[in-house]
Amino acid sequence: MSAATIRAARRSDVPTILGFVRQLADFERLSHLCVATAEQFDEALFGTRPCAEAWMAEIGPTTVGYALAFTTFSTFVGRPGLWLEDLYVAPVHRRHGIGTAMLRHVAAIAVERGCGRLEWSVLDWNERAIALYRSLGADLLGDWRINRLTGDALLRVG
């Protein structure tokens, strides 16, 4: 299992989180969509009305990954949930149980908060991640499709 320590993110972690987000975008072949700034992350995580939270995985003094989640609500179960937006471990530290430890950490927080669900998405080509999630008992919801409005389309609808 992982030798990593997992702790809540601090404001001073924002540049590291943003760096990891950019690495994740590269890995997912979506770097062209990654336009977030440190100021936006600072406000989202630590501003007057935080809308997300993050956790850092460390091995000694080295930060090796992060997870970022936000609260959702399920009308079907009548309880809040957590949406795991990102779970990222630097490539050199993968396959050492750090991702599993981080997922377990976030799941424990969801349980502690009385959440009815912990949910996330995974790209269909990321077979290693899918295998990990299935090994932990996660259901891959093949009949659900994520929808998104962004940019001009969001402005037209809004």
Side-chain angles (χ1 to χ4, degrees), residues 25-117:
D26 287 342
F27 172 77
E28 292 182 340
R29 305 172 194 146
L30 298 170
S31 58
H32 61 286
L33 299 176
C34 188
V35 297
T37 67
E39 293 78 18
Q40 290 169 321
F41 271 89
D42 186 78
E43 182 63 27
L45 296 170
F46 304 105
T48 55
R49 204 168 158 202
C51 59
E53 56 194 304
W55 301 271
M56 312 305 287
E58 298 174 325
I59 296 177
T62 305
T63 304
V64 299
Y66 81 105
L68 187 142
F70 54 88
T71 301
T72 63
F73 183 80
S74 169
T75 57
F76 285 17
V77 298
R79 296 190 337 205
L82 279 181
W83 180 269
L84 181 60
E85 180 67 14
D86 290 347
L87 174 62
Y88 180 79
V89 176
V92 70
H93 296 284
R94 292 182 188 155
R95 301 186 125 187
H96 299 287
I98 296 167
T100 301
M102 293 185 78
L103 187 57
R104 288 183 185 281
H105 183 83
V106 176
I109 290 169
V111 169
E112 177 184 305
R113 294 178 184 176
C115 293
R117 295 177 174 167

Side-chain angles (χ1 to χ4, degrees), residues 115-137:
C115 293
R117 295 177 174 167
L118 172 60
E119 298 177 295
W120 64 93
S121 62
V122 61
L123 291 167
D124 60 1
W125 55 260
N126 194 344
E127 294 176 15
R128 282 188 21 206
I130 291 168
L132 167 65
Y133 302 150
R134 284 190 171 150
S135 76
L136 294 172

